[in-house]
Amino acid sequence: MSTPIDAQDEKGTIPTGSKGSTAMPVVVAVPKELAPGEQRVATVPEVVQKLTKLCLEVRVEHDAGTGAYYPDELFTAAGAKIVTSRTDLLDGARIVLRVQPPTVAEVDQLAGGTIVIGFMNATNNLEAVARMRDRRVTAFALELVPRITRAQSMDALSSQATAAGYTAAILGAGNCPKFLPMLTTAAGTIRPATVLILGAGVAGLMAIATAKRLGAIVEAYDVRRAAGEQVRSLGAKFLELEIDAESQGGYARELTPEEKAKEQQMVSAAVARADIVITTAAIPGRKAPLLITRETVATMRLGAVIVDLAAESGGNCELTQAGKTVHVHGITILGPQNLPSRVPFHSSQMYAKNLQSFLALLVDKEGAIAEEFTDEILVASLLVHAGEVLHRPTRELLSGVKP
């Protein structure tokens, strides 16, 4: 998870929110996602029903849910108002729910004091963050939600990683020239394929579970030894290496040069015998670690497949190209982007429930917005408020200072 927020102002107090009004319901707006390839929507009819019971008025932009197979008619039946223009959608809206970060142009459509909730990816969207600051928009970044027990229902990173891990396993199977399960047929016995998962976080564990359900022999590796128990509980073999690189928050720290050499030797041997390799290793805010070199790719079995979930942050394979499929030495290397969008129905459903839980901290049972953002989850995820960037690393990047 990202570095904890430094949310105190000059006086050492936490910024406050605005008091909602029960006379006029708070308007929650859900725009259609405009990012290329994005099929998800920030809420679903099931959640709309829950929000309307909180005395909230939910507006959904026309066709916002079409890509996720939630047509306007379902939203209307759930109590939402379908709005055909972005201007009408945002007119008077106090809260805007999104999946992808807003663009500068989208921020310019928001009135001061509007609360935007969604993924913000601030490091790669500094211009939009600066515009939200200047327009006094309040932004909560779901990727900053702390990994504490009470916040599990709001953990959108985990819910979307679940979708990504599942889709990665399906992609690997679809591109592999072999059956995954063992088959006994009149034509002889078919040996099961071997699937290797590198990185046993949420996405990796879901990829393991899916590959096992498909009947493959599954091996997995993670630099965090504690992950071994979870891997074995799913029926996979955990590759042992005497390195413990777990850091605070459950993420992996960067390895030392000596540790990297040991890891590379073991991983290379495992990669060489695998039919499908799914890589999920990432370090928040940094380039993805290199796990598979071009030399290692050359040792792989003909027809083997690599699915690199870290493609968007540089890739775990040296030959990965984000958004493209590379064929080299008879090996297929996939660099997919935005995998949760490939299963938009369920990824939207999970994401919408994350937002529902988050809103329960922000809006009370009478539909009033919290007067103060004092809850530790709200404090941690508050990116921009009242003309200030409150997340220290983002503020330092905007100031030209390295975090």
Side-chain angles (χ1 to χ4, degrees), residues 2 101 119-130 132 141 143-144 383-384 389 391 393-395 397-398:
S2 298
F119 289 126
M120 294 296 158
N121 193 10
T123 302
N124 297 318
N125 293 282
L126 292 175
E127 188 177 357
V129 173
M132 287 190 286
E143 64 268 29
L144 299 180
L383 177 66
V384 182
V389 177
H391 182 241
T394 302
R395 185 170 65 242
L397 284 172
L398 282 170

Side-chain angles (χ1 to χ4, degrees), residues 226-277:
E229 183 178 348
Q230 293 174 299
V231 168
R232 286 186 284 266
S233 72
L234 294 172
K237 177 183 177 182
F238 186 66
L239 302 179
E240 301 284 355
L241 189 64
E242 290 303 314
I243 293 175
D244 187 2
E246 185 168 358
S247 64
Q248 291 184 346
Y251 287 98
R253 64 170 171 80
E254 189 169 10
L255 300 181
T256 66
E258 293 77 13
E259 289 172 336
K260 286 181 179 179
K262 291 180 181 179
E263 178 192 52
Q264 189 63 58
Q265 183 178 5
M266 185 188 70
V267 168
S268 296
V271 169
R273 63 176 177 264
D275 298 298
I276 300 172
V277 180

Side-chain angles (χ1 to χ4, degrees), residues 118-328:
F119 289 126
M120 294 296 158
N121 193 10
T123 302
N124 297 318
N125 293 282
L126 292 175
E127 188 177 357
V129 173
R131 189 62 60 90
M132 287 190 286
R133 175 199 62 197
D134 297 342
R135 292 184 63 83
R136 301 184 74 82
V137 169
T138 294
F140 287 97
L142 292 182
E143 64 268 29
L144 299 180
V145 169
R147 283 197 159 173
I148 59 177
T149 301
R150 192 166 64 86
Q152 285 182 347
S153 64
M154 310 166 206
D155 189 353
L157 282 178
S158 290
S159 74
Q160 301 309 290
T162 296
Y166 167 83
T167 308
I170 299 300
L171 272 177
N175 284 273
C176 181
K178 299 181 178 181
F179 291 126
L180 262 65
M182 182 178 74
L183 300 177
T184 302
T185 74
T189 299
I190 305 295
R191 293 177 57 82
T194 298
V195 177
L196 172 66
I197 314 294
L198 299 180
V202 175
L205 291 172
M206 187 60 184
I208 290 168
T210 304
K212 283 296 294 183
R213 292 185 186 112
L214 292 173
I217 294 173
V218 182
E219 297 181 333
Y221 172 69
D222 194 290
V223 293
R224 299 167 299 132
R225 285 185 295 192
E229 183 178 348
Q230 293 174 299
V231 168
R232 286 186 284 266
S233 72
L234 294 172
K237 177 183 177 182
F238 186 66
L239 302 179
E240 301 284 355
L241 189 64
E242 290 303 314
I243 293 175
D244 187 2
E246 185 168 358
S247 64
Q248 291 184 346
Y251 287 98
R253 64 170 171 80
E254 189 169 10
L255 300 181
T256 66
E258 293 77 13
E259 289 172 336
K260 286 181 179 179
K262 291 180 181 179
E263 178 192 52
Q264 189 63 58
Q265 183 178 5
M266 185 188 70
V267 168
S268 296
V271 169
R273 63 176 177 264
D275 298 298
I276 300 172
V277 180
I278 298 173
T279 68
T280 70
I283 301 172
R286 304 186 65 174
K287 187 179 184 299
L290 178 63
L291 301 181
I292 304 176
T293 64
R294 61 177 65 242
E295 291 79 15
T296 300
V297 171
T299 69
M300 296 179 70
R301 296 175 176 178
L302 289 177
V305 178
I306 297 173
V307 184
D308 193 339
L309 267 66
E312 293 180 81
S313 58
N316 296 141
C317 175
E318 188 176 1
L319 299 177
T320 296
Q321 294 184 31
K324 297 182 180 180
T325 299
V326 176
H327 298 280
V328 59

